[in-house]
Every structure is written in C-alpha cells, then in structure tokens.
C-alpha cells in the first residue's frame, strides 16, 4: 500500500492574551480549504490534533485546553473601512468538531500584529513609531474590533513591560476596543429581562433547581449565576471545579437549559454541537483569595470575582469575550454582576479571576428603555511564538 506524503501549510503560532492558537492567511490554505466546509474543518482538526480520545492533542498543535485548541484565519477585509477579516475556529479536543459560533477575545489581541506583519494592512496606515490602529471585521459575529498595535521603527513591537495575569512574562500592551458588541438585530437581554429564573432538571446527585440568572448578548452570549446559589464561594481555582466531574455535568446542563431560554438552541441535546457558546459564569463580591500563581488578591484590589467555564471546564483566567459581557453587565443596574459590586453599576471595573485580576470598561446607554453598549475596552498583549509551516498528512482533508 502506497503512503501519501505530508503537506506543509504556512502558519504562525501566536499567543494572544491568555490564549494561543495557530494563525493562517486565507490565501495560504489549500484551495478547497479557502471556503467554509468539511475540508476546512478536517484540516484544522488535524492541525490541532483532534479528535483525541486521550484528551492530550499530542499529535497536533493543540495544548489540550479550551485556551490552546484554537485556530484563526485572516484575510484582507471585504468590508469598507476595515483592514482585516478575522475568522475564529474553536476546535473540540475529543470530538471531530470545529465551533464557528463565536469570537475569541483573547486571540483578537494578536490579530492586528499578524495582519501588519503579513501585509494585510495598507502600509500608509502603519506609523514608523507609535500605534497602528487596525480595524478588524470579526466574521463570526459580524462586528468591528479596533486593535491599537504598538509600532517601533516600522515593525510590530511585541516586547514590553505590560503584565497580564494569566501570562507568565511581560510584553507590549495592546488595547482592544470591541465596538457595539451587541448586534443591532438582537436584544442585549434575549428574554427582555435583566434577570430571569432558570429551571434546571435534576442532574445525578443534584436535585432539580431554579436559579436566578442574567443572560446577556455582549461580546459572546453569557449566562451569569450567583456563586452561592451553586454552593461555591466564587473564589475557586481550576482544580476545585475541573476535578469534580459531577459538578461539570451539572454546569453543562445549566448551560444547555440557559441556551434554550436564550433562543440559541431548541433542545438540550443540541448543546453538544454548540460548545463554544453560550458561556457560563458565576459571580460574587470582592472577596480576597490566592490566585493560581500564588499571588494574594486583596478585597481592595477588585470590585467583584468572576469564574467562567469554557468548553466544559473552568477557565484558567478569563476569556476576552466573556470579559466584554462582564464589563457590559457591570455597567447596567440590576444585573447579577452589578448587584455584587458594593458601589453598584460601574462603567469601569476590576474583577478577580483564577489567575489574578483584569480591568474592563464599558460605555453603555439606555435608549427608549432598551440598553445598548457602544464600546468595551481592555488591554491585552500578544506575541509570535513560532512561524513557518505546519505539516499534516495530505489525506487529512
């Protein structure tokens, strides 16, 4: 039996925020993978090393976590007044599935620098020194994002002194602005209510329960709950949640029934094919705790604590898109998020997450009784880890 050779595809391995993934220019992909479909999905699955029943992604570029099983495809923008089109694919670890339903806010921080370095941004938009303002069209959610990329001597500056909790080493600061992160055709609060009651059936040893929730579309569809309603303090780290399979099953059931109430799926079984959205998060006030790095977070350092799950596990820090939802909900009176802030709704908050803290600001307003958000901003960092070619068997797709 003759063996087919591997092919090589130009690729860049990048960290953006507290995530990392494999970045491609659209035109560098094999021709049949330049359009959405089975061939593209199969190619990305093989690149990342999925599906892997061992859950390790050893035979691929993935890192066996939701933060490291990610892919990005970029191209010159097809939209007026934008520089680059950004398409994000969240690759499942143990299933043959790529979720295209949402954005990755963390990797957004790396999009601008990749676009500049790969000729996707017009030269006259890049200063010799200063900040390049890269206008990103996020294709998954059809929204505009602005990245302020530092430039030194005409090149992207990646090194610097900016420290981001959840990332070991300092780097250059990249401000990211999520412009009008709620689609005009959608309601920020899909049920029309700032808070709702979510009924969830019994799961294993957990009895059926009703939870107070805030369900919001901002950055990414997100369901917020109170930590104490779940039996948690809200200061938990990853091991406290991710080592408890029964709790994870319960969280996934809550997420599925929340997705139904948000109108994202029709029945709980469909949640399996929509792992990336919605996100599930639980909140509490500004309690002190020790982060995963051993750093003491004092109650005076933060205004609230948030713990969020991604792809069925507690995230080691905070997803950028969920931070957009947190910032938006924190600025609106009556949400579960703003309720746990001692001073009430605030347009700029610093919250605690398992790896440390993050500050996020949101410009919200109420028009004719409906809440909208004009912009959400936060600072991240990004850098190239490796560039060259990724190789996969030629019969993979």
């Amino acid at each position: 039996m003759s063996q087919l050779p591997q092919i090589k595809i130009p690729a860049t391995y990048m960290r953006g925020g507290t995530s990392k993934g494999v970045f491609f220019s659209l035109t560098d992909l094999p021709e049949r993978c330049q359009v959405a479909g089975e061939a593209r999905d199969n190619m990305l699955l093989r690149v990342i090393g999925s599906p892997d029943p061992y859950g390790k992604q050893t035979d691929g570029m993935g890192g066996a976590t939701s933060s490291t099983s990610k892919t990005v495809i970029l191209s010159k923008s097809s939209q007026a007044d934008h520089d680059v089109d950004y398409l994000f694919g969240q690759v499942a670890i143990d299933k043959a599935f790529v979720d295209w339903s949402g954005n990755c806010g963390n990797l957004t921080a790396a999009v601008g620098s990749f676009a500049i370095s790969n000729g996707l941004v017009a030269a006259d938009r890049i200063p010799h020194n200063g900040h390049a303002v890269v206008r990103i069209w996020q294709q998954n959610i059809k929204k505009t994002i602005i990245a302020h990329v530092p430039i030194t001597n005409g090149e992207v500056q990646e090194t610097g002194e900016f420290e981001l909790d959840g990332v070991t080493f300092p780097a250059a600061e990249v401000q990211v602005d999520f412009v009008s992160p709620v689609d005009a055709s959608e309601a920020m609060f899909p049920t029309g209510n700032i808070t709702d009651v979510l009924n969830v059936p019994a799961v294993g040893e957990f009895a059926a329960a009703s939870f107070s929730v805030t369900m919001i579309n901002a950055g990414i569809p997100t369901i917020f709950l109170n930590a104490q309603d779940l039996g948690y303090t809200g200061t938990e780290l990853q091991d406290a949640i991710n080592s408890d399979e029964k709790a994870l099953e319960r969280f996934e059931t809550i997420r599925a029934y929340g997705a139904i109430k948000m109108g994202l799926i029709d029945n709980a079984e469909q949640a399996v094919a929509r792992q990336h959205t919605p996100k599930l998060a639980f909140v509490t006030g500004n309690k002190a705790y020790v982060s995963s790095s051993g750093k003491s977070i004092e109650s005076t350092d933060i205004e609230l604590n948030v713990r969020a799950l991604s792809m069925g596990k507690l995230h080691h820090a905070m997803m950028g898109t969920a931070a957009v939802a947190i910032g938006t909900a924190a600025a609106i009176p009556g949400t579960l998020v703003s309720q746990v802030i001692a001073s009430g709704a605030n347009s700029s908050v610093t919250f605690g997450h398992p790896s440390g803290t993050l500050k996020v600001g949101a410009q919200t307003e109420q028009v004719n009784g409906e809440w909208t958000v004009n912009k959400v901003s936060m600072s991240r960092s990004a850098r190239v880890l490796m560039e060259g070619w990724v190789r996969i068997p030629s019969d993979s797709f």
Side-chain angles (χ1 to χ4, degrees):
M1 177 179 176
S2 61
Q3 300 299 314
L4 296 173
Q6 291 206 101
I7 63 166
K8 60 182 185 178
I9 305 168
T12 302
Y13 199 43
M14 296 193 73
R15 177 186 64 78
T18 56
S19 293
K20 58 184 177 180
V22 184
F23 283 60
F24 301 94
S25 285
L26 177 65
T27 54
D28 286 336
L29 298 180
E31 187 173 354
R32 63 184 181 277
C33 298
Q34 293 182 21
V35 295
E38 186 178 3
R40 174 186 286 179
D41 285 6
N42 287 340
M43 180 204 77
L44 296 177
L45 284 162
R46 196 66 171 92
V47 165
I48 294 298
S50 293
D52 184 357
Y54 302 106
K56 303 298 183 183
Q57 292 179 326
T58 304
D59 199 22
M61 298 295 294
T65 69
S66 66
S67 301
T68 57
S69 187
K70 299 186 173 189
T71 57
V72 171
I73 300 172
L74 301 177
S75 58
K76 286 190 174 183
S77 187
S78 58
Q79 304 293 314
D81 300 321
H82 289 74
D83 301 301
V84 59
D85 287 349
Y86 161 36
L87 184 65
F88 168 68
Q90 177 77 57
V91 179
I93 296 170
D94 58 349
K95 299 178 179 64
F97 178 65
V98 182
D99 195 330
W100 301 100
S101 66
N103 177 32
C104 175
N106 274 298
L107 289 187
T108 300
V111 169
S113 57
F114 179 97
I116 292 170
S117 300
N118 287 270
L120 300 178
V121 178
D124 61 4
R125 292 191 50 78
I126 305 169
H128 189 67
N129 290 288
H131 285 81
V133 179
V134 181
R135 304 163 300 180
I136 301 165
W137 179 249
Q138 215 302 319
Q139 288 182 279
N140 302 77
I141 59 174
K142 305 294 189 284
K143 303 303 295 184
T144 298
I145 303 171
I146 306 296
H148 302 264
V149 181
I151 304 293
T152 300
N153 297 326
E155 301 287 339
V156 173
Q157 178 190 330
E158 295 182 306
T159 58
E161 300 304 317
F162 175 73
E163 295 186 353
L164 178 65
D165 285 341
V167 177
T168 305
F169 305 109
E173 181 177 1
V174 179
Q175 180 181 317
V176 181
D177 300 329
F178 298 81
V179 181
S180 300
V182 179
D183 195 302
S185 65
E186 297 179 351
M188 179 184 293
F189 300 102
T191 65
N193 303 316
I194 289 179
T195 61
D196 283 281
V197 173
L198 179 65
N199 298 313
V200 180
V203 182
E205 63 186 30
F206 297 102
S210 296
F211 297 99
S212 178
V213 296
T214 287
M215 299 181 293
I216 190 170
N217 286 319
I220 200 164
T222 305
I223 304 162
F224 290 106
L225 299 96
N226 284 313
Q228 58 267 33
D229 290 350
L230 295 161
Y232 294 114
T233 65
T235 61
E236 286 77 10
L237 303 185
Q238 276 192 299
D239 285 350
I241 305 296
N242 294 345
S243 61
D244 189 341
E245 291 296 331
K246 294 178 180 178
L248 292 177
E249 182 183 3
R250 185 192 193 199
F251 275 125
E252 181 58 19
T253 302
I254 294 170
R255 192 185 75 89
Y257 279 85
I260 295 171
K261 200 171 183 72
M262 294 182 81
L264 299 174
I265 57 177
D266 297 321
N267 56 69
E269 290 71 28
Q270 292 176 351
V272 176
R274 193 180 177 118
Q275 296 180 335
H276 185 50
T277 58
K279 299 300 186 188
L280 191 69
F282 54 96
V283 300
T284 192
N286 57 333
K287 298 178 182 178
Y289 66 100
V290 177
S291 76
S292 57
S293 67
K295 177 182 177 181
S296 293
I297 308 298
E298 304 300 333
S299 62
T300 52
D301 296 333
I302 56 177
E303 287 143 287
L304 73 157
N305 277 286
V306 189
R307 301 297 187 261
L309 286 90
S310 179
M311 303 291 284
K313 296 291 183 71
L314 187 73
H315 196 274
H316 72 101
M318 184 54 62
M319 306 81 81
T321 48
V324 173
I326 293 164
T328 303
I332 297 174
T335 69
L336 294 192
V337 178
S338 63
Q339 286 181 31
V340 301
I341 301 172
S343 60
N346 201 322
S347 61
S348 179
V349 295
T350 300
F351 63 87
H353 56 71
S355 294
T357 69
L358 178 64
K359 184 177 182 179
V360 59
Q363 297 177 5
T364 59
E365 62 178 337
Q366 195 172 24
V367 179
N368 297 324
E370 297 292 333
W371 282 99
T372 185
V373 56
N374 299 318
K375 184 173 71 172
V376 177
S377 300
M378 70 189 80
S379 288
R380 318 302 278 163
S381 63
R383 74 181 187 92
V384 171
L385 302 177
M386 183 179 289
E387 55 190 350
W389 296 272
V390 64
R391 293 179 183 248
I392 58 174
S394 56
D395 61 348
S396 298
F397 57 96

